[in-house]
Structure formats: C-alpha cells, structure tokens
Amino acid sequence: MRRFTALRGATLTALALGTVLTAAPARAHTGRPPGIEHCTATACHFDVPPGTYDVTVRLGAATASATRVTGETRRTLLPETAVPAGEHVTRSFTVDVRTPEGEPTGPDGTPGLDLALGGSAPALEAIRVTPSGQTRRILLIGDSTVCDQPADPYSGWGQQLPQYLRKGLSVANHADSGESTVTYLRDPRLWAAVRPLIRPGDLVLVQLAHNDKTTDEATYRANLETLVAGIRDRGGEPVLVTPVVRRWFNADGTLDNGTALLVNGLGVDHPAVIRAVAAAEDVPLIDLTAKTKALVESLGPEASKALYLYNEKRDNTHTSVHGATVFAGLVRDELLARHLVPEGRVRV
C-alpha cells in the first residue's frame, strides 16, 4: 500500500488562556476575547518540544455551536461537541507531539503543537496547554490502515482513536504506510526507533498483515514473536490486533474469501496466525478482523462503501475518515471490554 502526498490545512480559532507554554504571536482580532493575539483567525501554534501535553479547551458562544478539534497530522483529538447558545463546556485531552509528527518515514512536519478547529459551527473560547508528565500511552505499530494519513480523503483508524480518549491517556501512532512485519523490523526508522520509546505500563498495539503478501508462515509468526518479546523487554504490554478486512464480497454477500480475510498468496492466514501467537504468548487479542467482517457484512455491498474509499478511489482497503472513526470505535470497545484501559479515560 503506497504512501499518499501530504495536504496540510490547519484551521483553528482559539484563545490562549492561562497557558504556561509559548504561543506563536499573531495579529489581534477585533471582536474576539482578550488573548487572541496568540492565534491567527484559523490556527494556533504552540512552540513546544516533543513530548506529551494536556490540552484543555473551553467551548461555546452566544449562539449554538458545534466544535471539533484536530491536531498535528490530521488526528482527531476531540469529536464534534455541541454546546447550546449562551453556554460553555470544558473538555480536556492529551496529545503526543513528536518528530516526524505523522508517519515515521514521512516528513518531519511543523515543530511544536498545531491544532485545528472544525465542526459545523466551531466556537473555541479558551485553550490551555501544559506538559502532562508520565501519562499512560497507547503506542501503535501498523500499516496504512492504522497510520496518521497525511492527505484527504484517507485516514487510518489510529488517526481517529485519540477522540475516544480523555485527558491522561494518549495515542502515539507509529504505524507507517506500506509496512509488513518484515519491513517494520528491518527499517531503522521503525522498530529500532520505536522500541526505545516504550515505557513501563505503555500499551503497544500491533496490527501488521496487509503487506505481508509474500511472507511465509514461519517468518510471519517469528516476526510477531519478536515484536511481542521486544515490547515486554521494555516493560510495555503488547496487544495483538488482527487486520481490518478488505471490502471484497462474494456473490452471496459474505466476505469469506482470501482477499477479504487477509490470506496471502502463499496460503498464510494472517488473522489465524495472529490469534495463535496471542494464545501461545498469553497476549491480549483484539480480533478486528472478526469485528470489521461482521460490521461490513451487516451493511452489505452498497452501504459498506462509505467505510472505505470505494466511491472516491475505487479502494476497498483504505478507509475514509468515517470508516476509520467507526473502526477506531471498535478498537475502543475492545480495549474497554478487555480492561486494558480504565473506563474513566475513555469517551463512550
């Protein structure tokens, strides 16, 4: 699966209120609350080093509003939040700031923290950014169905997962387009760079299969075992994730075929191997293959197109923002069901 050209477009109107960090100066805006000098009309930039930061926003206005916050490489950090006219709400989330800010083999991106405001009627009255300390993290290892995709209309489910998390739990998405278990272990920008970042207590979700088209079963199994052992050596908790299905229907409306269920040209059933390794190594398993298969089949050949990029690109593998958001919700549900994250840190 190839990488897609980045299209950047930060959009945020914000008020820096009580921030302990340095915000880039910008022109003042008449009619805006005091402090808007820290923002342009469409973006706020905080000049902070790589790290994990807590962000608190105050939303609302004299008229009814609905605000969605994204950041860095198109990550959804706060889902669209409706606020009645004349009222305000406060929401908090934790964000990972790193270089490169998106895919590990991609461009560095913009230094610091960039946030963008969207939604049907955005209204951000105030924002506060502070270092978060030793926040628990969810690290992601995966391919283009997981990664922070740089360009519309593409999105990986890992890019949408942060919106389901509250302050105190962050996502560090180190998934990369086009990677297999073989290439992820081999490329020094990937496993060799990610492994030292794992801290005791971190969850590390691994979903690699889509690009293991020529990997034999013994190698594929050994590669998964290497990742599990390396995560545990660092004090992290590995979680194996079976791959999202491809939208490849049989004539009877089922997805019971090798293309849909990730059986490669050598006959290696990737989800089956992942399940076997999880059982043998006593590793938590998120069976996203089973979950996405059930969902896609329930929608059928027509309605399921919206989850993928069929209408835009005739693509039955990569997901739209909508599809990635739905699939990220399935991951959220599994994390809760298996008690891998505390309920208080998750939006339901």
Side-chain angles (χ1 to χ4, degrees):
M1 289 174 280
R2 61 189 179 88
R3 184 183 311 286
F4 303 97
T5 304
L7 298 175
R8 296 276 300 166
T11 56
L12 174 67
T13 302
L15 163 65
L17 176 66
T19 178
V20 299
L21 304 173
T22 302
R27 66 183 185 279
H29 292 257
T30 58
R32 297 289 188 180
I36 199 67
E37 65 273 10
H38 294 290
C39 304
T40 68
T42 58
C44 274
H45 170 76
F46 294 91
D47 186 16
V48 298
T52 309
Y53 295 89
D54 294 330
V55 179
T56 300
V57 295
R58 180 174 165 84
L59 307 175
T63 57
S65 62
T67 308
R68 175 175 178 262
V69 180
T70 60
E72 299 295 88
T73 304
R74 302 175 60 240
R75 300 178 217 156
T76 302
L77 303 171
L78 187 70
E80 185 160 332
T81 302
V83 183
E87 297 184 16
H88 296 84
V89 300
T90 300
R91 297 287 184 269
S92 298
F93 53 85
T94 301
V95 60
D96 174 61
V97 177
R98 61 180 182 273
T99 303
E101 70 176 33
E103 296 176 87
T105 64
D108 284 353
T110 304
L113 172 61
D114 291 287
L115 299 174
L117 183 69
S120 57
L124 179 60
E125 183 188 75
I127 182 170
R128 184 174 65 250
V129 180
T130 57
S132 66
Q134 295 296 311
T135 299
R136 193 181 189 197
R137 299 177 302 169
I138 300 175
L139 278 71
L140 304 180
I141 291 172
D143 53 36
S144 60
T145 65
V146 184
C147 75
D148 288 347
Q149 288 280 2
D152 281 327
Y154 296 88
S155 181
W157 61 255
Q159 202 164 18
Q160 301 304 324
L161 186 60
Q163 67 186 289
Y164 292 114
L165 308 180
R166 300 181 188 275
K167 177 183 174 182
L169 185 60
S170 66
V171 174
N173 192 349
H174 296 278
D176 197 72
S177 291
E179 307 301 342
S180 65
T181 58
V182 175
T183 60
Y184 205 96
L185 287 168
R186 184 174 60 201
D187 192 324
R189 297 169 294 179
L190 298 173
W191 178 235
V194 173
R195 186 174 178 273
L197 301 177
I198 300 171
R199 301 189 307 229
D202 283 342
L203 279 181
V204 186
L205 276 58
V206 179
Q207 186 217 278
L208 287 166
H210 277 271
N211 299 298
D212 280 279
K213 298 179 178 69
T214 59
T215 309
D216 64 80
E217 183 169 338
T219 301
Y220 185 65
R221 180 184 292 269
N223 289 344
L224 293 175
E225 291 169 347
T226 296
L227 290 166
V228 167
I231 293 164
R232 283 175 165 164
D233 285 347
R234 293 290 302 172
E237 182 176 358
V239 179
L240 292 179
V241 184
T242 59
V244 299
V245 295
R246 296 189 179 102
R247 185 189 159 277
W248 204 272
F249 283 92
N250 297 325
D252 64 359
T254 67
L255 297 177
D256 292 320
N257 59 75
T259 300
L261 299 182
L262 284 298
V263 179
N264 74 8
L266 301 178
V268 179
D269 185 331
H270 293 104
V273 176
I274 295 169
R275 295 175 190 123
V277 172
E281 299 292 327
D282 193 24
V283 173
L285 173 74
I286 294 178
D287 199 340
L288 202 52
T289 303
K291 293 292 183 180
T292 54
K293 178 180 184 292
L295 174 61
V296 173
E297 286 183 339
S298 72
L299 292 172
E302 190 59 36
S304 64
K305 290 177 180 177
L307 296 174
Y308 296 84
L309 294 173
Y310 180 85
N311 293 324
E312 299 86 350
K313 303 287 185 179
R314 295 298 187 268
D315 188 332
N316 291 307
T317 298
H318 297 97
T319 47
S320 62
V321 171
H322 167 65
T325 301
V326 171
F327 289 174
L330 297 177
V331 174
R332 180 271 317 270
D333 293 345
E334 287 295 290
L335 290 172
L336 282 172
R338 298 179 187 287
H339 306 290
L340 294 170
V341 293
E343 292 185 9
R345 300 296 188 192
V346 178
R347 292 187 178 91
V348 295

